[in-house]
């Protein structure tokens, strides 16, 4: 190869990318609503609106869609979260019957906790009655009620208040479980292509 041919090849190699990019046109709409053809590219303020890349014959070779609006982004994120939630549901349940069995187990567990707590509460009420009877015996006999007995009565009352709150909490959890399982039952039915009987 001659020196001239080598120089020509080197020059061609350097200029080829320029010719290739020069052959592309960018079509976009400016802020006045006018369609613009530009060899330099799309100005940054218009990229988000989307544009087209054309070859030297004027044919569209690539379309860059507009950037999503904030509402579209919110919808996409919501759909992504729903898909994640649905996938988790389908890992947990293979049928609507699975949801019903899980619901029955959870409600039985909460009913058991409520029953035990109410039983403990009844036991504390009996204990409080006995302690108050002892305090009344001291008062009838003209004696001062011992400080230890007063503390025991207060402790029993405090324990009762705590257990009453526990019963209310378990009942609230039971209501939440009912609502949650009802929604899961419907969604699993939809995902499996049927209805939640």
């Amino acid at each position: 190869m001659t020196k001239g041919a080598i120089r020509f090849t080197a020059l061609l190699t350097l200029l080829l990318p320029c010719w290739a990019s020069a052959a592309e046109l960018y079509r976009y709409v400016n802020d006045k609503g006018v369609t613009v053809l530009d060899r330099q590219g799309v100005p940054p303020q218009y990229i988000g609106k989307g544009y087209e890349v054309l070859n030297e014959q004027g044919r569209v070779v690539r379309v860059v869609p507009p950037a999503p609006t904030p509402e579209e982004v919110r919808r996409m994120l919501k759909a992504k979260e729903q898909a994640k939630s649905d996938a988790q549901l389908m890992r947990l349940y293979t049928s609507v019957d699975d949801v019903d069995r899980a619901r029955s187990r959870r409600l039985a567990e909460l009913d058991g906790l409520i029953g035990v707590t109410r039983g403990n509460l009844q036991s504390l009420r009996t204990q409080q009655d006995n302690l108050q009877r002892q305090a009344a015996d001291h008062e009838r006999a003209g004696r001062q009620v011992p400080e230890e007995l007063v503390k025991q009565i207060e402790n029993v009352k405090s324990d009762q208040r705590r257990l009453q709150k526990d019963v209310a909490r378990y009942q609230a959890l039971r209501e939440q479980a009912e609502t949650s399982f009802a929604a899961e039952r419907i969604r699993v039915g939809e995902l499996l292509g049927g209805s939640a009987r």
Side-chain angles (χ1 to χ4, degrees), residues 106-120:
R106 180 63 177 149
L107 295 183
E109 177 186 317
L110 289 169
D111 288 342
L113 288 170
I114 291 168
V116 167
T117 307
R118 283 182 172 156
N120 291 341

Side-chain angles (χ1 to χ4, degrees), residues 21 36 42 53 57 70 84 92 125 144 152:
S21 64
V36 178
V42 181
V53 180
Q57 285 84 30
K84 184 178 173 184
L92 288 173
R125 286 183 183 130
Q144 185 173 354
Q152 284 180 325

Side-chain angles (χ1 to χ4, degrees), residues 4 12 15 17 57 69 84 89-90 92-93 97 104 107 110 116 120 122 131 133 145 164 169 183:
L12 188 59
L15 292 177
Q57 285 84 30
T69 65
K84 184 178 173 184
L89 265 182
M90 296 315 295
L92 288 173
Y93 310 115
D97 291 338
S104 295
L107 295 183
L110 289 169
V116 167
N120 291 341
Q122 185 56 47
L131 292 171
R133 206 172 293 117
V145 177
Q164 286 167 341
R169 184 167 52 90

Side-chain angles (χ1 to χ4, degrees), residues 91-135:
R91 279 193 300 274
L92 288 173
Y93 310 115
T94 59
S95 70
V96 173
D97 291 338
D98 286 348
V99 179
D100 292 340
R101 283 190 288 277
R103 174 188 170 276
S104 295
R105 280 192 303 272
R106 180 63 177 149
L107 295 183
E109 177 186 317
L110 289 169
D111 288 342
L113 288 170
I114 291 168
V116 167
T117 307
R118 283 182 172 156
N120 291 341
L121 195 53
Q122 185 56 47
S123 180
L124 285 174
R125 286 183 183 130
T126 302
Q127 189 178 349
Q128 181 184 345
D129 288 345
N130 291 338
L131 292 171
Q132 285 179 326
R133 206 172 293 117
Q134 291 174 30

Side-chain angles (χ1 to χ4, degrees), residues 35-52:
T35 300
V36 178
L37 289 174
D38 194 334
R39 291 191 184 281
Q40 303 300 314
V42 181
Q45 67 267 30
Y46 303 122
I47 289 176
K49 295 179 182 180
Y51 59 93
E52 296 173 330

Side-chain angles (χ1 to χ4, degrees), residues 89 99 177-190 196:
L89 265 182
V99 179
E178 286 274 18
T179 303
S180 176
F181 279 110
E184 287 178 355
R185 187 177 200 281
I186 291 168
R187 188 64 185 152
V188 167
E190 291 170 352

